[in-house]
Amino acid sequence: MTPAVEFQSVSRHFGAVKAVDRVDLTIAEGSFFAMLGPSGSGKTTCLRLISGFEMPTSGAVRIFGEDMGTVPPNRRHVNTVFQDYALFPHMSVRENVAYGLMVKGVDRRSREARAEEMLALVKLDGFGGRRPAQLSGGQRQRVALARALVNEPRVLLLDEPLGALDLKLREAMQDELKSLQQRLGITFVFVTHDQGEALSMADRVAVFNEGRVAQVGTPEDIYERPATRFVADFVGSSNVLAPAVTEAFGGPRAWASLRPEAIRLAPGGRVRGTVTGARYLGAGTRLEVRTGALPRTPSDHHDGGIAVLVPAGAAVPGVGAEVALDWDAGALHLMGEEP
Amino acid sequence: MSGAAHPARGPGDRLTGLFWRRPKLLTALLLLPPLLWLGVVYIGSLVALLVQSFYSIDQFSGLVVPDFTLKTYAELLIPSNFDIIVRTVAMAAAVTLASVVLAFPVAYFAARYAKGRWKAVFYLGIMLPLWSSYLVKVYAWKLILAKEGIVTWAAEGIGAGNLLNAVLALPVIGGNSLSTSYIGTFLVFLYVWLPYMILPMQASLERVPTSMLEASADLGAGNWRTLRSVILPLALPGVIAGSIFTFSLTLGDYIIPQIVGSSRFFIGQAVYSLQGTAGNIPLAAAFAVVPIAIMLVYLTIARKMGAFDAL
């Protein structure tokens, strides 16, 4: 099957800055694909390479097998939900949604009918006559979604779609986007810096770092089997262990990650240490434990301390208490060197 | 005691305290001078003007008769006076339209592409002409456009002398030379008022986020469609603001048409000569009310068309 989107050794340089550096990516048709990474990692530039607002410095972007080399944005069968929604303030919600159809020359009656259908799809029936300024952030987001979907794109691009929404709304929209994607069966590609969002919505995730793809895989792959130190560190908040530490913890001499929730407090455990800090998280308590045998690792936020998640309900030792830590043999995940 | 935390209070502190307790007092004090200025000097003189326009002049004695009458306004409709109004409004409209067309690319470039040093060059380039005397500029234009001036010379130099003559041979707008034709008046008006169109236009274009243009392209629109359906409607408040300047400044000016152009009167010149040598203050006042009325009608139409919706 032809992939929906394909990057073949794509680079995009801005002067001396390599925003995107030799990226290879394959996005299967019908998938919900997340581009995850910190700001400046190249994820948004990759999205703009698909929509056509950026041109590759080298390499090729293909959409359903067709090289997009010289195809301008308005000739691509992809649509975008912009981060700031970019709704036209001088048009009603209905006119906003019908804009793409108006451009195509669809007559007023049918395009307004289609716009209303789309508004119903995003649960905004009856809002057609309002102005974008009269809507809440969540409603504007839905309008942006309807405005993109009315054009029946084969790939929908979403740039930080939930970034501007508050927590409750964000969670509701996550479910809604997911079910919308499954119902429509089209490919969704979204950009986010929020690992929770990427893991919970996407069925495939590409983790970006400094213009390169550090790892592509299912959310489980990314979370449980991070390929590099960066991925382990960025996705969730894993303990990244330097080779010497891994060795001291009973593993081979290699970089490894150890999830805080995989560690338990157990008398007679593998490693002994002192609690240096505790942070209450509601669903549990995150302890910082300094293990005596531990040398300082190069990674600055794990300087000799190790994070342990104590689930809610379990006894939480106080700061200064001596504890012993234990984990299952498989919990220590070994990683390759940074590419 | 709490002396260290609350040091001794001087008169300045007490005044600050008073204003802090009564914020409206400060607002009132700050607003009083401009309100007096606007109310008495500005609105007051406008009302005086309006009142005068309803007086009439006694044909025999030449004295102003301070009785309410619409006779003076009726005088505006006699052909020689009405021609002045039509001429002035047509000129103001032409200058405004040409300003919009000329200003748009400049303002668009400045708003979207000019950064740092280029932006400074832009502002300097737009503002510099405003720093020199208006009279100097107008007289300079008279020389530029004169029959012996540089435009004629350059046109003949590149072999376009016939074209220039053909343009000058056009009825109504043509004339003996550029500096004695309506074309000349138009060019000078356009030059002098153009900055007043560029600056508000640029300000409104700057407020159109790039993502909105990208959204339009993303939804399939080409450049022309984006210009028509997104950029122009969003820039409209700036265009209207600019056109208020170019339109009303042209309506009221009496120096440019006197120095450059045919000797036919514009409203400003009519007002000037009526209140001066002729001593017909009521008719001068009635003439002066015309631009105000036109601007009110213009703004009402602009509002109805939704020009201020994007504000």
Side-chain angles (χ1 to χ4, degrees):
Chain A
M1 198 170 74
T2 320
V5 180
E6 203 180 359
F7 279 58
Q8 194 178 46
S9 192
V10 172
S11 297
R12 176 67 173 106
H13 301 173
F14 297 102
V17 181
K18 294 176 177 176
V20 174
D21 187 18
R22 286 164 291 150
V23 163
D24 288 292
L25 263 186
T26 305
I27 301 175
E29 184 172 6
S31 63
F32 201 137
F33 194 93
M35 294 181 173
L36 172 68
S39 59
S41 61
K43 57 189 193 307
T44 301
T45 308
C46 276
L47 197 78
R48 292 170 62 81
L49 282 162
I50 303 175
S51 57
F53 296 118
E54 297 291 347
M55 288 303 211
T57 310
S58 64
V61 177
R62 294 198 188 85
I63 299 179
F64 289 100
E66 193 190 336
D67 190 342
M68 288 291 119
T70 56
V71 183
N74 53 332
R75 298 266 173 258
R76 299 189 182 198
H77 294 295
V78 299
N79 286 108
T80 308
V81 175
F82 288 83
Q83 186 171 10
D84 61 357
Y85 313 141
L87 300 179
F88 306 126
H90 57 295
M91 296 181 195
S92 69
V93 165
R94 189 183 301 110
E95 287 169 328
N96 261 284
V97 176
Y99 187 81
L101 301 175
M102 179 193 74
V103 169
K104 281 197 201 88
V106 177
D107 67 277
R108 179 176 288 274
R109 275 175 64 97
S110 21
R111 70 176 186 246
E112 287 189 346
R114 291 270 302 285
E116 288 297 342
E117 270 171 46
M118 276 301 141
L119 285 172
L121 182 75
V122 297
K123 297 175 189 157
L124 276 180
D125 359 19
F127 284 76
R130 298 205 193 176
R131 294 267 166 166
Q134 294 169 300
L135 302 183
S136 70
Q139 291 167 332
R140 276 181 226 180
Q141 153 118 68
R142 287 156 192 270
V143 176
L145 204 56
R147 186 177 68 172
L149 289 173
V150 79
N151 303 289
E152 297 175 345
R154 296 183 72 185
V155 180
L156 182 74
L157 308 174
L158 304 109
D159 188 4
E160 299 271 0
L162 310 174
L165 305 180
D166 59 48
L167 185 65
K168 262 274 187 287
L169 204 54
R170 199 177 333 179
E171 285 172 353
M173 271 315 275
Q174 280 184 18
D175 295 339
E176 214 164 307
L177 279 177
K178 184 84 192 153
S179 76
L180 198 61
Q181 190 264 339
Q182 281 163 353
R183 210 149 19 117
L184 298 170
I186 62 174
T187 312
F188 277 33
V189 180
F190 81 106
V191 155
T192 181
H193 63 267
D194 183 325
Q195 66 276 19
E197 213 169 280
L199 297 180
S200 66
M201 281 201 288
D203 38 48
R204 279 186 87 73
V205 180
V207 185
F208 281 76
N209 183 31
E210 293 177 345
R212 311 221 54 189
V213 174
Q215 187 176 2
V216 186
T218 64
E220 292 79 17
D221 287 339
I222 302 286
Y223 191 79
E224 284 164 23
R225 294 174 289 281
T228 69
R229 274 147 58 195
F230 172 81
V231 176
D233 200 28
F234 185 73
V235 180
S237 38
S238 193
N239 294 298
V240 175
L241 311 178
V245 183
T246 314
E247 204 171 24
F249 279 14
R253 196 176 171 79
W255 286 94
S257 86
L258 185 59
R259 293 275 158 206
E261 64 273 22
I263 306 173
R264 48 181 191 272
L265 303 172
R270 297 165 192 253
V271 175
R272 305 190 62 79
T274 312
V275 177
T276 56
R279 195 144 46 96
Y280 179 66
L281 300 174
T285 304
R286 191 183 162 95
L287 298 182
E288 287 296 323
V289 178
R290 184 172 293 273
T291 53
L294 212 59
R296 294 176 77 87
T297 69
S299 170
D300 55 3
H301 36 291
H302 294 116
D303 55 343
I306 185 163
V308 178
L309 188 74
V310 181
V316 179
V319 172
E322 293 286 325
V323 291
L325 308 177
D326 202 7
W327 54 85
D328 294 335
L332 203 63
H333 170 73
L334 302 180
M335 298 179 291
E337 266 305 309
E338 209 70 38
Chain B
M1 290 298 286
S2 61
H6 299 100
R9 286 153 54 94
D13 286 326
R14 273 198 290 276
L15 196 62
T16 309
L18 180 68
F19 287 145
W20 182 73
R21 284 193 305 276
R22 296 168 187 277
K24 281 185 184 151
L25 182 67
L26 181 61
T27 316
L29 280 176
L30 284 173
L31 276 179
L32 197 63
L35 275 180
L36 277 177
W37 176 266
L38 273 176
V40 178
V41 180
Y42 190 77
I43 306 282
S45 55
L46 214 58
V47 170
L49 181 79
L50 200 64
V51 170
Q52 299 260 8
S53 70
F54 288 109
Y55 294 164
S56 60
I57 196 156
D58 187 285
Q59 294 295 345
F60 298 107
S61 62
L63 291 175
V64 174
V65 183
D67 294 321
F68 178 86
T69 172
L70 289 172
K71 213 173 74 188
T72 314
Y73 278 101
E75 255 181 84
L76 286 181
L77 298 176
I78 64 169
S80 61
N81 286 339
F82 197 69
D83 278 357
I84 294 176
I85 295 173
V86 170
R87 185 177 302 134
T88 311
V89 172
M91 179 61 78
V95 169
T96 300
L97 279 178
S99 301
V100 171
V101 172
L102 269 187
F104 185 80
V106 181
Y108 192 78
F109 170 80
R112 198 142 303 284
Y113 299 107
K115 297 268 182 317
R117 180 193 292 266
W118 277 107
K119 199 131 204 161
V121 169
F122 161 78
Y123 277 116
L124 210 64
I126 302 300
M127 306 288 271
L128 205 58
L130 298 178
W131 298 348
S132 60
S133 159
Y134 165 85
L135 278 177
V136 169
K137 286 183 289 183
V138 178
Y139 275 110
W141 270 100
K142 188 183 175 66
L143 294 179
I144 290 169
L145 297 174
K147 208 168 185 60
E148 307 79 22
I150 192 167
V151 173
T152 315
W153 173 78
E156 275 162 7
I158 60 166
N162 288 334
L163 184 70
L164 183 64
N165 287 331
V167 170
L168 286 174
L170 289 172
V172 187
I173 61 167
N176 189 30
S177 73
L178 281 175
S179 67
T180 56
S181 67
Y182 284 138
I183 300 176
T185 320
F186 167 80
L187 287 174
V188 179
F189 270 133
L190 186 56
Y191 168 81
V192 173
W193 306 142
L194 190 60
Y196 297 96
M197 178 61 86
I198 294 177
L199 291 175
M201 219 182 207
Q202 185 248 355
S204 70
L205 282 170
E206 212 145 73
R207 287 205 304 265
V208 180
T210 318
S211 68
M212 225 153 264
L213 310 185
E214 290 184 346
S216 179
D218 188 78
L219 295 164
N223 291 336
W224 184 243
R225 161 63 73 182
T226 302
L227 178 72
R228 235 172 27 151
S229 297
V230 179
I231 300 174
L232 283 182
L234 290 176
L236 206 54
V239 176
I240 299 292
S243 67
I244 291 171
F245 287 127
T246 56
F247 201 71
S248 63
L249 287 170
T250 310
L251 281 181
D253 193 88
Y254 69 100
I255 293 178
I256 290 173
Q258 192 163 323
I259 297 173
V260 179
S262 69
S263 49
R264 297 187 194 89
F265 267 12
F266 281 73
I267 288 179
Q269 291 164 285
V271 173
Y272 180 73
S273 72
L274 282 170
Q275 62 86 34
T277 43
N280 191 345
I281 298 285
L283 189 56
F287 259 119
V289 169
V290 172
I292 299 171
I294 290 171
M295 286 315 290
L296 283 177
V297 170
Y298 175 65
L299 287 182
T300 311
I301 293 172
R303 214 183 86 111
K304 282 261 159 61
M305 281 169 54
F308 306 114
D309 286 5
L311 278 182

